[in-house]
Amino acid sequence: METSPSPRSVAVFGAGYIGLVTGACLAQLGHRVVVRDVVQQKVDALARGEVPFHEPGLSELILANAGRLSFTLDASVALEGAEVAYVCVDTPPTAAGDADLSRVHAVVDDLLGAAHLRAVVVKSTVPIGTGARIRARLDRAGLDHVGYASNPEFTAEGTAVDDFLHPDRIVVGADDDATADLVAGLHHGVDGPVVRMDVASAELAKLTANALLMTKISFANEIAGLCEATGADVEQVMGAVGMDPRIGSRFLRAGLGWGGSCFPKDGTALKTLASRDGLHLPLLSAVIDVNNAAPGRALQRLKDEIGGVDGKTVTLLGMAFKAGTDDMRQAPSAVVASRLLAEGAEVRCWDPLARVTDPALWDRTARFDDVLKALAGADAAIVVTEWPQLRDLPWQEVAASMASPVLLDGRNLLDPAAMREAGFTYLSVGRP
Ligand code: UDX
């Protein structure tokens, strides 16, 4: 990859998924990067070359760029000589559904004394208007020479490094050309178009992209319900629908719905943001409702099949919010596990990577490393995450080992005919 002809000094605030990927990729592009985080353990682990979560290609990139990339707890060390400060801290939901911006504002406080700073770039997902407020704050502190840009990320977990280095677009929202040029220039070597716009539009572009992706998924789930009622097959329907390039085939997979660190939070944040301005977004509200109902709707079919789950052993295949990640934030597995436990089931679970973030729930389940042992003796199993290795299980043997071979495929991962042939009562989402 071509490196930048004018390497910059960059301070990245936040060593989470976004900050680390941003820092490592900017270093790969030739910039000198210091990543600052407030968690000592995380900084120590990163200094030893250990990435605290699973993200393909990230540790390799960090190691390969060790000469240009360092980690610190100290904001003033990160800002020494920094021309650009990237804000990549998380913006979790508040009780009211807004994005909590306290971490973003704490970083802005740290920036106020930086001597060489030319631009503050926000990558954290923030409500519209945040940029304007930070701009005003910089001006009040006498930093009107420091530019402000919104540079939202569109990277997905599991493919984040590739998404950063080969993006569909790089959105740069800035109110002056010099700042936009500086941020666009940081991406020299990345093969993707830079789209320039004003700050508020960049902030809204990010939330709108996620909301439209959520809409596609919920629409597929709504049609799945209709398929179940009429005998049509949602995979065939959406397969044909997605071949229209005006629609596109991705994000039309029906199942247990979306989870993760972005969609649930960003959907609610957009709704709350609109409501503060007296606006109602009925379409987005319906999209969220359909998603919230998806796990319950699928579970009901399983309960109807086996006569309820009280006293039964149910195995969850997958806990992560999607395959290829260890992230369990807002995972549909948590909804499924809680409902099963509340209705008296004994819950077993298996996942090759998942990092449990809610022990109060998962301590009430039994976790297995061996998927076959997790299934042996169970009354039913549910595919919750589309781990590809599940396709290759010896399903005939599994059926024989279960107390009753009933499987709810919450991700339409397996072949219905093959599963029935293996001896299963096989249920999936929107397929006959
Ligand atoms: C998402 C956006 O894709 C990314 O651009 C943004 O920057 C952050 O949020 P991510 O949360 O990593 O990325 O996951 P993604 O791959 O988009 O999947 C989101 C959820 O939707 C997962 O739970 C997935 O299982 C679900 N999904 C996805 C479906 O249920 N059906 C689909 O067709 C696609």
Side-chain angles (χ1 to χ4, degrees), residues 153-155 157 206 217 251-253 258-259 262 321-322:
E153 52 84 22
F154 296 96
T155 53
E157 288 177 27
K206 157 74 188 191
I217 300 170
F251 284 72
L252 288 180
R253 300 291 310 277
W258 73 69
C262 284
F321 84 92
K322 65 174 182 179

Side-chain angles (χ1 to χ4, degrees), residues 324-398:
T325 179
D326 56 358
D327 196 343
M328 288 189 65
R329 284 178 288 177
Q330 304 294 316
S333 61
V335 178
V336 174
S338 337
R339 289 206 180 193
L340 290 170
L341 288 167
E343 292 180 31
E346 187 186 310
V347 178
R348 296 177 180 179
C349 49
W350 165 88
D351 191 288
L353 285 180
R355 232 172 349 108
V356 166
T357 41
D358 178 8
L361 168 64
W362 294 100
D363 283 355
R364 295 164 62 207
T365 69
R367 183 156 178 185
F368 288 70
D369 292 332
D370 182 333
V371 63
L372 298 179
K373 287 193 181 135
L375 287 158
D379 296 294
I382 306 176
V383 176
V384 183
T385 312
E386 65 286 11
W387 287 108
Q389 53 268 55
L390 292 174
R391 287 204 185 93
D392 303 323
L393 291 192
W395 284 110
Q396 210 163 347
E397 275 172 43
V398 171

Side-chain angles (χ1 to χ4, degrees), residues 195-432:
V195 190
R196 297 178 182 221
M197 60 189 71
D198 61 84
V199 172
S201 300
E203 289 168 346
L204 187 53
K206 157 74 188 191
L207 291 170
T208 304
N210 277 354
L212 197 51
L213 292 169
M214 295 176 223
T215 305
K216 289 183 82 176
I217 300 170
S218 277
F219 197 66
N221 275 327
E222 188 158 276
I223 296 299
L226 191 57
C227 288
E228 283 159 21
T230 57
D233 181 330
V234 74
E235 297 291 316
Q236 292 183 22
V237 173
M238 287 307 174
V241 168
M243 287 172 81
D244 184 332
R246 291 172 300 177
I247 297 171
S249 60
R250 299 182 62 195
F251 284 72
L252 288 180
R253 300 291 310 277
L256 299 177
W258 73 69
S261 64
C262 284
F263 283 2
K265 169 174 80 72
D266 293 354
T268 313
L270 189 53
K271 248 183 80 167
T272 312
L273 189 66
S275 71
R276 278 205 316 230
D277 287 330
L279 292 172
H280 176 46
L281 304 181
L283 188 53
L284 180 60
S285 300
V287 162
I288 294 170
D289 288 347
V290 169
N291 194 63
N292 290 344
R297 209 174 58 80
L299 266 185
Q300 191 56 49
R301 300 185 62 219
L302 178 71
K303 289 190 285 184
D304 290 347
E305 184 63 43
I306 63 174
V309 292
D310 192 14
K312 308 238 164 89
T313 300
V314 182
T315 302
L316 304 191
L317 300 171
M319 298 154 76
F321 84 92
K322 65 174 182 179
T325 179
D326 56 358
D327 196 343
M328 288 189 65
R329 284 178 288 177
Q330 304 294 316
S333 61
V335 178
V336 174
S338 337
R339 289 206 180 193
L340 290 170
L341 288 167
E343 292 180 31
E346 187 186 310
V347 178
R348 296 177 180 179
C349 49
W350 165 88
D351 191 288
L353 285 180
R355 232 172 349 108
V356 166
T357 41
D358 178 8
L361 168 64
W362 294 100
D363 283 355
R364 295 164 62 207
T365 69
R367 183 156 178 185
F368 288 70
D369 292 332
D370 182 333
V371 63
L372 298 179
K373 287 193 181 135
L375 287 158
D379 296 294
I382 306 176
V383 176
V384 183
T385 312
E386 65 286 11
W387 287 108
Q389 53 268 55
L390 292 174
R391 287 204 185 93
D392 303 323
L393 291 192
W395 284 110
Q396 210 163 347
E397 275 172 43
V398 171
S401 79
M402 288 175 70
S404 72
V406 179
L407 188 129
L408 167 65
D409 185 349
R411 296 292 173 190
N412 291 349
L413 178 76
L414 306 165
D415 176 46
M419 291 305 285
R420 288 194 187 107
E421 206 168 307
F424 276 93
T425 299
Y426 175 81
L427 309 165
S428 52
V429 181
R431 296 195 291 183

Side-chain angles (χ1 to χ4, degrees), residues 1-2 29 162-170 187-194:
M1 174 161 287
E2 201 187 331
L29 294 169
D162 202 50
D163 291 343
F164 190 104
L165 295 173
H166 308 280
D168 300 318
R169 73 295 206 197
I170 300 158
H187 293 83
H188 181 94
V190 170
D191 72 5
V194 174

Side-chain angles (χ1 to χ4, degrees), residues 87-158:
V87 183
C88 301
V89 290
D90 55 339
T91 51
T94 64
D98 301 284
D100 175 358
L101 297 180
S102 55
R103 295 172 176 87
V104 172
H105 292 310
V107 172
V108 175
D109 281 344
D110 286 332
L111 302 180
L112 298 180
H116 304 279
L117 208 56
R118 291 177 53 196
V120 176
V121 187
V122 169
K123 233 184 200 331
S124 302
T125 302
V126 294
I128 309 139
T130 305
R133 281 196 293 280
I134 295 177
R135 172 75 274 158
R137 187 123 175 270
L138 293 172
D139 292 347
R140 279 198 307 276
L143 296 178
D144 40 359
H145 59 283
V146 175
Y148 179 88
S150 162
N151 174 216
E153 52 84 22
F154 296 96
T155 53
E157 288 177 27

